[in-house]
Amino acid sequence: MHIPEGPTSQLALVDFARALAQAQQPNPAYEITKWIYVPNDYEEYRYILGTRGENPLICLGINPSTAAPNRLDNTLKSVQRVAGHNGFDSFLMLNVYAQRATDPNHMEGEGNPRLHRENLAAFDYALGLGRGEAPAVWAAWGALIEKRAYLAGYLRDLVEVGQAHNARWYSAGPRSRKGHPHHPLYLRRDSVLEAFPVEDYLERLGQPAPASQPR
């Protein structure tokens, strides 16, 4: 269980670029040739956790919990299984918001613009890791997007970053009556990814698609 110690605005946040540079240095806790973990030790926030490969599936949840290299939680184990079943050789777990909290009800009430900005940089980096021209992004936040008012706007910003990379959006499993994509935790290991109309979904959330998106 991870309960935030306090507002992220009170933390000495390591920006994504510096955290990435640190994560590329040898670490006795895990193999850096297999894992990408940014920051590379356990902090109150996490930008990226995943495995290295040439064809990664980028999974976007709502916020990170306790998982780390060689210590995946049940959600991340499901993500890894579904990624493999759908033909991907690796997975990258990112989130709409980077604050760790096992229970999303413990996320801070007001979003931290600086943490969000660094999280956007992490997403931009992840989108450029694969060798394909259109990276695959799995929308996997479930109804948890409703937990905080700032999350819908932060998702819109992430979608805008994805546009620059021609990202293809997917979901797995049945969507909710409100159109929320299914959370990975209780998915079958043989779940198939299906196209997810993320711009239409944003509009349902009251967040018009970014202006650069062709309609």
Side-chain angles (χ1 to χ4, degrees):
M1 175 73 69
H2 186 103
I3 299 175
E5 294 181 356
T8 58
S9 60
Q10 296 179 3
L11 300 174
L13 289 176
V14 178
D15 62 65
F16 175 72
R18 187 153 57 97
L20 177 63
Q22 293 170 351
Q24 292 170 337
Q25 300 301 312
N27 191 311
Y30 62 92
E31 297 179 37
I32 63 170
T33 57
K34 177 181 178 182
W35 296 95
I36 177 169
Y37 184 42
V38 188
N40 67 343
D41 54 9
Y42 195 92
E43 301 284 355
E44 287 286 300
Y45 55 97
R46 191 187 75 209
Y47 299 127
I48 302 176
L49 170 59
T51 53
R52 297 185 182 274
E54 296 182 355
N55 182 31
L57 174 61
I58 301 170
C59 183
L60 191 66
I62 205 66
N63 75 297
S65 182
T66 61
N70 300 315
R71 292 191 293 108
L72 299 183
D73 58 21
N74 289 334
T75 295
L76 271 290
K77 289 177 182 177
S78 180
V79 169
Q80 189 171 42
R81 289 192 295 264
V82 173
H85 178 74
N86 283 270
F88 296 89
D89 66 358
S90 53
F91 76 93
L92 299 169
M93 188 74 208
L94 291 92
N95 292 276
V96 176
Y97 197 52
Q99 183 187 32
R100 283 193 197 261
T102 301
D103 183 345
N105 288 310
H106 292 147
M107 283 190 296
E108 53 196 353
E110 299 293 332
N112 181 343
R114 183 184 172 199
L115 182 60
H116 175 53
R117 183 172 62 249
E118 299 305 328
N119 198 45
L120 292 175
F123 190 54
D124 182 67
Y125 173 79
L127 289 164
L129 282 179
R131 293 196 173 186
E133 295 182 357
V137 181
W138 175 9
W141 48 80
L144 298 176
I145 194 80
E146 298 181 5
K147 288 292 183 180
R148 294 291 184 266
Y150 56 81
L151 293 172
Y154 284 4
L155 174 61
R156 181 189 182 277
D157 294 341
L158 289 159
V159 171
E160 186 170 17
V161 172
Q163 290 176 348
H165 293 268
N166 298 313
R168 299 166 294 153
W169 289 79
Y170 298 92
S171 65
R175 298 172 198 158
S176 74
R177 286 179 294 178
K178 293 184 178 180
H180 299 310
H182 202 288
H183 191 278
L185 184 56
Y186 299 113
L187 287 176
R188 293 169 53 97
R189 66 174 61 239
D190 59 354
S191 295
V192 176
L193 295 174
E194 302 176 347
F196 181 66
V198 70
E199 289 85 13
D200 294 341
Y201 175 76
L202 282 175
E203 292 182 356
R204 296 183 69 170
L205 293 179
Q207 299 288 331
S212 60
Q213 172 65 32
R215 304 295 292 178

